[in-house]
């Protein structure tokens, strides 16, 4: 029965790896949602910046001159592209998380394939033992 025990131990090893991967996938799904929410928030901040600050500030008639023009130009030319860069970086992180989740799921599929093969071998072995005992 040593072979059977070895096969069961191998199955347990695969099951442990699958459980560990599923735990990682669960954590990554939570992080992915949090990061996607942060991306949405950054996009909303960018929209609010343009709609509520830049437009209102440019239309403000209480301040005139080159200093105002410089501030308005900087707020239009530098802040929105910084948000774009930030959002692009968040997209890259989300892509990496999705790739990792896909890789872990593929690894699980490899384990399931091995478990299927091992279960088949165990059943064959048990069948042969049962035939010898009868």
């Amino acid at each position: 029965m040593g072979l059977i025990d070895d096969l069961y131990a191998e199955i347990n090893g695969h099951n442990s790896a699958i459980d560990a991967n599923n735990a990682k996938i669960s954590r990554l799904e939570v992080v992915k949602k949090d990061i996607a929410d942060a991306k949405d928030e950054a996009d909303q901040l960018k929209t609010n910046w343009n709609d509520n600050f830049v437009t209102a500030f440019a239309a403000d008639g209480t301040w005139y001159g080159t200093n105002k023009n410089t501030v308005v130009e900087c707020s239009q030319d530098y802040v929105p592209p910084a948000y774009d860069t930030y959002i692009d970086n968040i997209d890259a992180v989300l892509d990496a998380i999705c790739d990792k989740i896909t890789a872990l799921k593929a690894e699980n599929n490899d384990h399931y394939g091995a478990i299927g093969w091992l279960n088949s071998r165990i059943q064959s072995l048990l069948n042969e033992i049962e035939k010898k005992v009868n």
Side-chain angles (χ1 to χ4, degrees):
M1 289 287 196
L3 179 59
I4 292 174
D5 292 337
D6 291 345
L7 291 174
Y8 276 121
E10 193 169 341
I11 288 172
N12 288 335
H14 286 289
N15 283 335
S16 295
I18 289 168
D19 291 343
N21 284 347
N22 286 338
K24 290 175 189 175
I25 290 169
S26 294
R27 289 190 304 268
L28 286 170
E29 292 286 353
V30 169
V31 169
K32 183 174 103 175
K33 183 187 177 315
D34 290 345
I35 291 174
D37 290 345
K39 177 187 171 193
D40 292 342
E41 186 176 331
D43 196 39
Q44 187 60 44
L45 287 170
K46 176 187 170 194
T47 301
N48 289 344
W49 176 265
N50 287 329
D51 293 346
N52 298 329
F53 179 77
V54 175
T55 305
F57 194 64
D60 182 9
T62 61
W63 185 25
Y64 297 98
T66 58
N67 286 340
K68 177 184 177 183
N69 293 342
T70 301
V71 170
V72 169
E73 287 172 15
C74 287
S75 65
Q76 289 173 332
D77 295 342
Y78 298 112
V79 175
Y83 274 115
D84 290 338
T85 301
Y86 181 67
I87 291 168
D88 290 346
N89 289 339
I90 290 174
D91 278 337
V93 170
L94 285 171
D95 290 347
I97 290 171
C98 289
D99 289 345
K100 184 61 178 177
I101 289 170
T102 300
L104 289 169
K105 287 181 179 179
E107 189 176 315
N108 278 353
N109 289 335
D110 290 343
H111 288 296
Y112 285 128
I115 288 172
W117 180 83
L118 289 173
N119 277 328
S120 176
R121 299 288 297 170
I122 288 171
Q123 293 304 319
S124 295
L125 184 58
L126 290 174
N127 187 41
E128 289 298 320
I129 291 170
E130 186 176 333
K131 288 195 292 188
K132 297 291 183 195
V133 173
N134 287 337

